[in-house]
Amino acid sequence: MNSLANFNSSCRHPELVSGSIYQPARLWQAARRTLKRVQRDGLWIAAVFLLIGSPAHANSSMPKAHYADTQLADPRQEADAHALMESVRCLVCQGQSIADSDADLAADMRAMIRRRIKAGEKPEAIRRWLIERYGDWVSYKPVLDAATAPLWIAPFLLIAIGLWLARGRFRKRRR
């Protein structure tokens, strides 16, 4: 009996052990409280580890491509490459050109553009290849085709409608 008394006093939930009587309702309540505490503490610990560990995995361990930040020897080729890089959108940053972006994908795209221009490929051919691979969105200079025609025509159409409405208003005032 002495060992049972020691067990009762050392038990985390002493209300569960009252002699030899089994109390399922109290056992269930204690189990739920323990589970909630484990879930709460476990989520907190997981969140801390994610916040601490995320920056460590953000940078790539791969070396940058050779021509990512190295200019071409021929100034004319480098000027062509830079002009093309200024007109290609970074797929990671989305608001910057690949010439301005520090993203790894932008560095790979800069290197690819410089390699192709060094090999003698024309900038327009490279632009077409990039658009075929990544879509029209990659270019800051979208082409006029059936899909983009409404985007090109809409501003002129809206200005014409606005002028027509303003003309009608001014005519009514004169009368």
Side-chain angles (χ1 to χ4, degrees):
M1 194 65 156
N2 197 6
S3 64
L4 184 59
N6 288 339
F7 178 74
N8 285 343
S9 63
S10 67
C11 183
R12 182 170 237 170
H13 301 287
E15 70 274 5
L16 296 179
V17 184
S18 60
S20 63
I21 301 172
Y22 175 66
Q23 299 175 347
R26 286 189 178 175
L27 180 64
W28 178 250
Q29 290 172 351
R32 283 182 42 202
R33 282 195 304 269
T34 304
L35 183 61
K36 284 182 182 180
R37 184 171 42 253
V38 168
Q39 286 176 340
R40 181 188 65 228
D41 294 345
L43 287 175
W44 174 252
I45 291 169
V48 168
F49 279 122
L50 282 174
L51 288 174
I52 290 171
S54 294
H57 297 291
N59 291 331
S60 174
S61 60
M62 298 288 294
K64 281 195 175 181
H66 176 65
Y67 283 119
D69 297 321
T70 305
Q71 293 186 352
L72 294 172
D74 183 6
R76 187 181 61 72
Q77 285 182 333
E78 180 60 31
D80 289 344
H82 191 72
L84 180 58
M85 289 185 277
E86 286 289 332
S87 68
V88 174
R89 186 187 316 261
C90 176
L91 300 173
V92 177
C93 304
Q94 298 182 2
Q96 292 180 313
S97 68
I98 62 170
D100 300 329
S101 176
D102 291 330
D104 289 339
L105 181 62
D108 291 342
M109 291 173 79
R110 286 193 303 268
M112 185 272 308
I113 287 173
R114 284 187 173 121
R115 272 195 315 271
R116 286 182 166 214
I117 286 183
K118 185 178 181 183
E121 202 170 335
K122 299 290 181 197
E124 276 308 308
I126 299 170
R127 176 190 308 284
R128 281 193 305 273
W129 180 82
L130 287 168
I131 289 173
E132 284 175 18
R133 182 169 182 160
Y134 298 110
D136 288 332
W137 189 82
V138 76
S139 177
Y140 277 125
K141 298 176 183 176
V143 294
L144 178 60
D145 61 2
T148 60
L151 297 173
W152 287 96
I153 296 170
F156 300 110
L157 187 63
L158 291 173
I159 289 173
I161 291 171
L163 290 173
W164 182 71
L165 290 172
R167 187 179 136 246
R169 286 274 190 185
F170 290 135
R171 278 189 175 180
K172 286 182 182 179
R173 282 191 181 172
R174 287 185 195 170
R175 291 181 190 177

